[in-house]
Amino acid sequence: MDYLGLALYAEGPTDYSFLCPLLARLCEDVCTRDAAHAVEVSEVLRLDHPRAADEASRAQRIVLAAREARDAWRILFIHADGAGDPERKRREQAQPAIDGLHQEHAEARLGVAVIPVRETEAWAIVDGDALRRVFGTTLTDEALGLPSSAGVAEATSDPKALLNATFNATHPSGVRRRRGVSPMLNALGEQVSLPRLRELAAFSMLEYELRQAL
């Protein structure tokens, strides 16, 4: 059996919470479909750069973090929210690190960009069934205020606010309300539908690049 080690360098804690289980599931799905042999897919290692590199460029920080964990990964996902201009974000926030990783590791270890059009939360609002299971509600998509299609979700100007509004529509109380939606992002990453995500252009691009890297 082959082994596939995965790692992620993301912008923030909530991105790690949602993306780590989602990216592991995506790799398992792709390997199950495409690999000639059985593949054991690792959990996604959360990478952070050394404190001494705080003042370095993002690309340098990522390369340094990857170097310290080099024995643990073969695919390193590099996340940056697109902020409405995903091509520019990729060019500025992901590609320099991908190039740096290639210079250091050649084909042995590769970087793959994860660039939602605006924010990662847009990927969490595409699947009403997953949201109902995680939030513990029977409210319809309409009652939750969810977008009518994956395309509308991807074009939403403030996905994070929409996800919070969806959570608040379930009328959470007590500690659950005070903690908000952040503690649930890991469960959403475990349950959001891959077929629904594949309707999003940004997610399809991620999967395409992952297949090229594998």
Side-chain angles (χ1 to χ4, degrees), residues 116-191:
V117 171
R118 292 189 181 278
E119 297 173 320
T120 304
E121 284 78 1
W123 294 3
I125 58 174
V126 298
D127 182 2
D129 290 334
L131 287 163
R132 277 183 281 277
R133 287 193 297 271
V134 173
F135 289 173
T137 182
T138 58
L139 293 174
T140 64
D141 285 8
E142 184 177 13
L144 289 170
L146 292 173
S148 57
S149 69
V152 174
E154 192 163 50
T156 297
S157 60
D158 193 343
K160 186 176 295 183
L162 199 157
L163 178 61
N164 288 329
T166 298
F167 176 67
N168 290 330
T170 67
H171 301 293
S173 59
V175 173
R176 183 182 171 91
R177 176 172 54 80
R178 289 195 294 276
R179 289 178 175 172
V181 73
S182 292
M184 302 181 182
L185 287 170
N186 190 267
L188 283 170
E190 292 174 344
Q191 299 195 37

Side-chain angles (χ1 to χ4, degrees), residues 17 48 68 77 196:
S17 295
D48 196 3
E68 288 198 342
F77 293 102
R196 286 284 289 175

